[in-house]
Amino acid sequence: MGKKKFLSWTLLLLLLVSTALYGCSSDNGSEESGSEGGSTEEKQLIFGRGGDSVSLDPITVTDGESFKVTKNIFDTLVNFGEQDTEIEPALASDWTASEDGLTYTFTLEEGVKFHDDTDFNAEAVVKNFERWAAGDGEQYPYYGSMFGGYGDDEGHVIESVEATGDYEVTFTLNRPQAPFLKNLAMSPFAIASPTAFEAAGDTFGDKPIGTGPFKFVEWKRNDTITIEKFDDYWVDGEPKLDQVVFRAIPDNSARLNALLSGEIDLADGITPSDAGTIEGDENLQLFERPSMNVGYLGMTVTREPFDDPKVRQAINHAIDKQAIVDAFFEGRAEVAKNPIPPVISGYNDSIEDYVYDPERAKELLAEAGLPDGFEMELYAMPVPRPYMPDGQKVAEAIQKNLADVGVTAEIVSFEWATYLEKAANGEADAFLLGWTGDNGDADNFLYALLDQDNVGTNNYTYYKNQELHDILIEAQSEVDEDLRNELYMQAQEIIHEDAPWVPLAHSTPLLAGGNNVINFKAHPTGSDKLASVDLE
Amino acid sequence: MLHYIGRRLLQLIPVLLGMTFIVFMIIRAIPGDPAQVILGQQASEEAIKALRSNLGLDNPWYIQYFDYLKGLVTGDLGESLRTRTPVVDEVWPYLAATIELSLFAIIIAVIIGINAGIISAWFQNSWFDYLAMIIALIGVSMPIFWLGLMNQWIFSIELGILPTTGRENVRDPVDVITNFYVIDTLIAGDFNQLATVLKHLVLPGTALATIPMAIIARMTRSSMLEVMRSDYVRTARSKGLSMFWVVYKHALKNAIIPVLTIIGLQMGLLLGGAILTETIFGWPGIGRYIYEAIGFRDYPVIQSGILIVAFIFVMINLFVDLLYGLVDPRIKYD
C-alpha cells in the first residue's frame, strides 16, 4: 500500500465519519415517533412484524403475514366482528339463507369502487368466484380446503354463483355447509377487481387492487410493504391513517428495540416475558389478541404404548398444566381442557378436565401393565409460535412431570419443516404442536385436527374414531346452530375420553404500540383491519 | 495475464458444477416437503400430490438435477416455489443489500484491522499490542446477536443517535434505482437521506465487521513482524528514514500479501455468512433470503442463491490473486 493509497483510505474514512456526524445533527426527528415523521404532515403508522408476506393476491396464499396486509387492501362479502368471529355485513349489506341451507342471496353495497375505478357489483363477485372455482389446490389452496374442491369436484360445496340483479348475488350449494358465512369472511376470499386480475393473471399479487380502505403503493421484499389511504373508500370517515407501512423485523428483541426507539409504532409477536417491560413504559401500551388457538401435546396412537387409552389418560393426569401456563406463558394463557378455545361456539364447558394427580397417573399406568413406566421420545418445537412461546421449556417441564410417574422422556427437536414432516409421518411418540383457527368455527379445529380424514396431514396423532367421524360430518351440514353445537359437545366428550392429546393452553398473543396509537383492536384470526385506527 | 484469467475462469466451471451437485443432494436429503410447506397446514393429500408432480418433484433426482443444469446453461436460475417468481428477477435487491452492507463492513474492518495490526507490530509487546490483541480475541468470540442487540440498546434506545434496524427511514423511503441505497440517494442528490442511509449501515456494519477486523488485525501483525525483522527494513532505518514511512511504505508492501488473501476470503464469507446480522438488524439481504428459502424448502432459491454467492466468492478470490501482481512486482502471471 503506497502513500497515496493510504491517504485516500484515510480521506474516505474521514468522509464517512463526517457524513455520519452531519447526519446525526441534521435530521433529528425523522427517526422520532409521532405524526411529524419524515418530510410530510401525514399520519403514518409503521407496523413491525416477524416476517414478510408471500404474495398480496390473498387467494393464492395460506400465511398470516400475507393476510395481515391484504385485509387492508381488500374487503370480503361479510366481515368478522371487531374482536370475535361473529358475522357482520361488509360488501354485502344483507343476506338471506333458504330453510334447507342450499341457497344464499346477498344484497350488495351500491356505489362501491375498486382502487382502479372499476365498479363493484354482482358481476364482479361472480367473476371472483369463477376465477377461484376454475383453479386447483396449487393455485388457490384455501378455496379447496374450505369449499371442498373446485369446479366439478365431487366434494365441491358451491354449485353456482349467479348475478340475480345488478347488486344481488345468489349462491346455490350442492349440500348445506354450516360454516359457509364464516368461510366467506376469511381473508383469502376477498373480492378483487376483475379488470385488474383479468389483465394481470398470475402477477396480480404484484399490484393488488381491491375495494379496501388502503391502496397498494410499494413492496420492498423482505423489508417493507407500503399502503396508503383510498380516498373513495365506501365507509364514511375511514380510513383515519394516510399511510401504513408493514416492516419485517424477524428478531423479537430487535423488533421490541425498534418500538422502544420509536422507529415503529406497533409491533406484534411480543413475548410474554417482555410484557412487563411494555407495561412499565409510560410511552407504550400492550394489546392482547383474543385467543383463538390451542397448544397441545399430541400422542401418536399408532405407537406403543400410546395405543392404549389408559396410558394416554395417565399422561393427562401426570402433567401440571397450570404450572406450565404460569411459568412459560407468564400467565397470559388459560389452561386448556378441550381442543377448541372457549370463544368458539360449541365449546363444552361441562367437561371435567383430567386433574394433575401423579398418583392416579401411576395407577393407570399399572392398570395398563406398565407399573415401572416406559421410555419415550418427546418432540419439542424449535420455533416460538403464538400458541407456544417456548416449546423447549414446556418440553422440559413435561419431561420432569413424566419422570415423577416413572416415564423417561428424551427430548428431541428438529428444524421446523423437518419437525412437521416427521410428526405428520407418525414418527414421534409424543410431540408439542398447536393450531390457530382460520374462521372461528369448531369444525376448523375438531375436524381438521382430530378426524380420521385428516390423518397424515393435520391429524398428527393418527387417532381414528368412527363415531366421532360420523358426528363431525353431520355437524358440517347441520344448519341449526343449537343442534350443531350439541353435536360438537358430544364430539368433545369422545375426544376427552379417548385422550389423543393433552390440551395444554389457549394463549393470548401480545402486541405493543406507542401511546399515540388509538383504536387498535387485535383480531383473533391474526389479521387486523386498520381502517379505524388513528394516531394522536 | 489475459491467458491466466481465461484459464482461471475455465477452472471455475467444474468447481461451481460440483458445488451445485453437492447443494442439490444435501437439500434433497433433508426431510421436509416443499409442496406441504407451500400449501400450508390445511392442504389435502391430493393437492400436495398434484403440486409435487407440477413442480417436477416426483421425478427421480438425476432428472431433476439435469433439468436444473439445462436451465443454468440458458441463464435460467429456476423459479421460486413460494413466490412463483424467477429467481433471476427477485434476487437482485437482496444481493445488492448484502453487497452494500458487506462492503461497508469490510471497509471498516480493513481500515481499523490493518492499522491496529501495524501499530501492534510496530510497538510489539507494548500495552497497545496486548490490548489490541485481547480486543481482537474478544471480537472473534463475541456472539453477534448479543453484540447487535446490546448496540441497539445503547445507541438507539439510550443515546438515540442511530436507528435499530432496516436500511432506511421508512417514514421517508428511498426511491430505489440501483438498490444500492448509498448510490440511489446520491443520484437523487438527497444528502439528508444519504446520511440516514449511512446511519442505518453503522450498527449492522460494525457488527458484521468485528470478526474480519480481528482476523485482519492478527494477520497483519504477524505478517508485519516477519517483515520488520528483514534486512531491507534495517537498511531503510539506518538511512535515516522515519519509522512511519518505513512501516507504512516499505514494510507494509511486503506484508500485505497474506493479508489480502484473508480480506478476500472474509469478504466472500460476509456475503453468505451475514444471516445472523441480517436477522438481528432486519436487513433484507441474500443471507436471509436463502435462510428463509431453506425453511420453506424452496429448492431453486437455495440452489441458485448459494450458486450466486459461491460465484462471487470465487471471483473475489481471482481478483485478489490479480492484486498480488499489482502489489508485488515479483509476482508474474503468464
Side-chain angles (χ1 to χ4, degrees):
Chain A
M1 187 181 289
K3 201 182 341 179
K4 278 209 188 100
K5 269 210 184 121
F6 175 66
L7 278 176
S8 55
W9 278 119
T10 320
L11 276 176
L12 184 69
L13 180 67
L14 280 174
L15 183 78
L16 277 175
V17 172
S18 57
T19 349
L21 287 174
Y22 163 75
C24 295
S25 58
S26 69
D27 70 336
N28 50 4
S30 68
E31 298 283 353
E32 303 292 316
S33 66
S35 54
E36 76 275 19
S39 53
T40 53
E41 286 300 310
E42 291 195 328
K43 286 183 178 169
Q44 279 179 312
L45 179 93
I46 318 292
F47 192 155
R49 55 192 187 138
D52 198 13
S53 302
V54 173
S55 165
L56 296 182
D57 183 359
I59 191 66
T60 63
V61 288
T62 57
D63 68 302
E65 295 302 350
S66 295
F67 297 140
K68 266 195 190 99
V69 181
T70 61
K71 188 157 178 135
N72 292 292
I73 299 176
F74 296 89
D75 290 308
T76 39
L77 284 178
V78 289
N79 257 350
F80 291 128
E82 202 168 46
Q83 287 198 287
D84 54 44
T85 51
E86 296 303 307
I87 296 300
E88 296 181 353
L91 286 174
S93 52
D94 196 15
W95 57 89
T96 53
S98 62
E99 274 301 307
D100 59 5
L102 291 174
T103 315
Y104 286 81
T105 307
F106 293 87
T107 310
L108 307 179
E109 281 285 341
E110 296 186 25
V112 176
K113 291 259 187 211
F114 288 100
H115 303 155
D116 62 357
D117 219 34
T118 304
D119 289 317
F120 166 80
N121 51 29
E123 202 48 48
V125 176
V126 171
K127 279 184 173 161
N128 272 275
F129 277 87
E130 281 174 351
R131 175 193 179 206
W132 305 333
D136 57 40
E138 177 193 351
Q139 280 177 294
Y140 310 135
Y142 255 128
Y143 184 85
S145 48
M146 304 318 284
F147 296 118
Y150 306 83
D152 299 330
D153 292 0
E154 196 180 328
H156 192 187
V157 170
I158 301 176
E159 188 189 330
S160 67
V161 184
E162 289 160 280
T164 41
D166 283 350
Y167 293 97
E168 184 180 273
V169 179
T170 304
F171 286 74
T172 311
L173 307 190
N174 288 316
R175 59 168 192 277
Q177 186 186 42
F180 182 66
L181 289 171
K182 285 193 161 145
N183 289 346
L184 288 182
M186 285 171 58
S187 295
F189 310 119
I191 305 300
S193 162
T195 324
F197 70 68
E198 281 166 6
D202 288 346
T203 62
F204 177 70
D206 299 340
K207 203 176 179 329
I209 307 279
T211 58
F214 295 93
K215 290 186 299 194
F216 172 76
V217 179
E218 189 186 24
W219 186 354
K220 292 177 174 170
R221 290 264 176 180
N222 243 342
D223 193 7
T224 55
I225 295 178
T226 307
I227 55 178
E228 67 178 12
K229 181 179 187 156
F230 177 43
D231 289 328
D232 297 331
Y233 188 51
W234 58 277
V235 179
D236 281 340
E238 289 185 354
K240 311 263 190 249
L241 297 165
D242 293 302
Q243 202 178 62
V244 178
V245 182
F246 295 89
R247 255 191 81 183
I249 307 174
D251 185 77
N252 281 340
S253 309
R255 201 175 328 115
L256 182 61
N257 283 345
L259 180 71
L260 289 168
S261 74
E263 282 162 65
I264 58 178
D265 304 306
L266 205 58
D268 70 4
I270 298 292
T271 53
S273 51
D274 285 331
T277 312
I278 313 270
E279 285 176 323
D281 189 324
E282 56 186 20
N283 299 317
L284 298 177
Q285 51 184 330
L286 194 68
F287 300 105
E288 294 195 335
R289 189 183 291 292
S291 179
M292 201 168 78
N293 63 33
V294 61
Y296 64 91
L297 173 76
M299 290 165 277
T300 310
V301 303
T302 48
R303 298 175 75 88
E304 285 185 1
F306 295 108
D307 51 347
D308 185 344
K310 280 211 164 73
V311 173
R312 302 197 298 262
Q313 289 168 350
I315 303 288
N316 264 285
H317 279 299
I319 293 173
D320 186 355
K321 301 179 194 181
Q322 189 64 53
I324 288 174
V325 165
D326 290 345
F328 309 122
F329 292 80
E330 311 269 332
R332 293 187 189 271
E334 54 182 318
V335 168
K337 62 182 183 183
N338 286 318
I340 55 175
V343 302
I344 294 208
S345 181
Y347 181 78
N348 190 339
D349 206 16
S350 63
I351 287 201
E352 280 193 32
D353 198 10
Y354 294 98
V355 285
Y356 170 57
D357 184 350
E359 289 312 312
R360 179 79 190 112
K362 282 182 195 162
E363 280 169 30
L364 282 164
L365 285 174
E367 283 172 37
L370 295 161
D372 303 328
F374 57 94
E375 288 182 8
M376 59 176 276
E377 271 191 348
L378 170 60
Y379 275 40
M381 294 177 40
V383 287
R385 305 292 294 172
Y387 48 75
M388 200 168 298
D390 196 338
Q392 301 290 332
K393 289 209 179 95
V394 172
E396 284 163 23
I398 290 174
Q399 183 183 39
K400 168 80 179 66
N401 284 158
L402 293 178
D404 292 343
V405 299
V407 176
T408 312
E410 186 199 347
I411 297 177
V412 291
S413 191
F414 308 92
E415 175 268 349
W416 187 225
T418 309
Y419 185 95
L420 287 176
E421 167 148 2
K422 281 173 151 329
N425 291 342
E427 290 174 37
D429 294 331
F431 54 90
L432 289 170
L433 214 62
W435 181 261
T436 300
D438 294 299
N439 59 359
D441 193 82
D443 179 70
N444 180 251
F445 279 82
L446 299 175
Y447 176 76
L449 302 171
L450 289 155
D451 189 83
Q452 60 196 45
D453 286 353
N454 292 316
V455 161
T457 55
N458 286 315
N459 180 350
Y460 296 100
T461 58
Y462 283 67
Y463 163 66
K464 291 179 184 169
N465 180 318
Q466 187 62 41
E467 188 194 354
L468 176 73
H469 175 75
D470 294 341
I471 290 174
L472 292 176
I473 294 296
E474 191 186 338
Q476 283 180 335
S477 52
E478 176 55 68
V479 274
D480 182 299
E481 184 78 9
D482 293 335
L483 287 175
R484 190 163 182 254
N485 286 344
E486 193 55 47
L487 289 167
Y488 285 130
M489 301 264 185
Q490 287 174 32
Q492 286 162 84
E493 276 164 26
I494 297 169
I495 294 165
H496 175 77
E497 198 53 41
D498 288 346
W501 286 10
V502 182
L504 295 170
H506 305 296
S507 76
T508 302
L510 300 172
L511 300 90
N515 253 346
N516 55 340
V517 177
I518 309 169
N519 211 9
F520 174 75
K521 299 258 195 317
H523 197 267
T525 54
S527 356
D528 310 306
K529 213 172 186 93
L530 304 169
S532 53
V533 175
D534 205 346
L535 285 169
E536 259 171 15
Chain B
M1 180 82 168
L2 280 176
H3 182 74
Y4 171 80
I5 295 176
R7 202 174 61 221
R8 282 287 304 261
L9 287 175
L10 279 177
Q11 282 168 355
L12 286 188
I13 294 172
V15 169
L16 290 174
L17 208 64
M19 201 216 63
T20 57
F21 182 73
I22 292 168
V23 172
F24 182 92
M25 292 314 282
I26 288 176
I27 58 179
R28 275 166 179 73
I30 48 176
D33 179 1
Q36 173 76 60
V37 181
I38 291 165
L39 296 178
Q41 287 197 312
Q42 293 281 13
S44 65
E45 272 306 311
E46 299 82 58
I48 291 174
K49 276 205 184 73
L51 179 55
R52 285 185 64 83
S53 88
N54 250 341
L55 298 172
L57 294 170
D58 49 359
N59 290 333
W61 65 265
Y62 48 88
I63 292 186
Q64 289 184 50
Y65 182 61
F66 188 69
D67 283 346
Y68 177 65
L69 285 189
K70 261 202 316 218
L72 280 187
V73 174
T74 57
D76 173 11
L77 294 174
E79 190 179 88
S80 162
L81 301 181
R82 196 160 65 111
T83 62
R84 317 283 162 89
T85 315
V87 176
V88 175
D89 296 345
E90 64 173 21
V91 75
W92 175 246
Y94 302 120
L95 189 59
T98 295
I99 291 175
E100 185 164 66
L101 180 62
S102 305
L103 279 174
F104 188 86
I106 208 80
I107 288 171
I108 294 176
V110 166
I111 292 173
I112 300 178
I114 288 191
N115 285 300
I118 290 172
I119 297 169
S120 283
W122 187 350
F123 302 107
Q124 201 193 346
N125 300 335
S126 67
W127 63 266
F128 180 91
D129 182 19
Y130 290 125
L131 186 69
M133 288 308 117
I134 288 170
I135 291 174
L137 187 66
I138 293 172
V140 169
S141 3
M142 180 82 74
I144 249 176
F145 58 89
W146 187 84
L147 181 76
L149 290 171
M150 272 308 179
N151 281 346
Q152 283 177 2
W153 179 66
I154 295 167
F155 293 100
S156 311
I157 297 170
E158 292 302 318
L159 299 175
I161 52 175
L162 290 170
T164 54
T165 48
R167 295 184 73 187
E168 58 179 353
N169 172 10
V170 294
R171 297 179 201 277
D172 179 23
V174 172
D175 289 329
V176 178
I177 305 161
T178 62
N179 275 299
F180 295 113
Y181 284 12
V182 171
I183 295 173
D184 289 348
T185 49
L186 278 171
I187 293 173
D190 189 334
F191 291 98
N192 244 342
Q193 264 194 348
L194 174 64
T196 311
V197 166
L198 286 171
K199 279 206 287 185
H200 278 85
L201 278 161
V202 174
L203 286 186
T206 45
L208 198 54
T210 42
I211 292 177
M213 193 187 318
I215 294 173
I216 290 169
R218 294 185 64 101
M219 195 73 200
T220 310
R221 177 178 180 271
S222 57
S223 181
M224 282 296 284
L225 282 176
E226 245 168 76
V227 174
M228 301 278 269
R229 294 195 194 97
S230 63
D231 292 348
Y232 72 90
V233 170
R234 208 172 316 123
T235 313
R237 282 291 290 146
S238 58
K239 275 179 164 174
L241 284 176
S242 81
M243 191 65 187
F244 184 84
W245 284 121
V246 170
V247 169
Y248 272 97
K249 191 164 186 314
H250 299 278
L252 188 59
K253 207 168 198 167
N254 284 296
I256 201 78
I257 288 203
V259 180
L260 275 182
T261 312
I262 290 287
I263 293 173
L265 284 173
Q266 290 296 325
M267 178 81 201
L269 287 178
L270 288 193
L271 282 175
I275 294 172
L276 264 181
T277 312
E278 286 175 358
T279 301
I280 297 289
F281 291 99
W283 196 270
I286 197 159
R288 233 174 81 201
Y289 176 57
I290 297 172
Y291 173 74
E292 284 177 8
I294 293 173
F296 280 96
R297 298 293 185 269
D298 196 337
Y299 295 159
V301 171
I302 305 170
Q303 283 158 209
S304 298
I306 295 177
L307 180 66
I308 291 166
V309 171
F311 177 74
I312 298 177
F313 188 94
V314 289
M315 290 315 279
I316 292 173
N317 280 330
L318 174 60
F319 178 71
V320 167
D321 284 356
L322 295 174
L323 268 187
Y324 296 161
L326 291 178
V327 176
D328 189 340
R330 287 171 307 184
I331 297 176
K332 286 264 190 301
Y333 297 112
D334 25 63

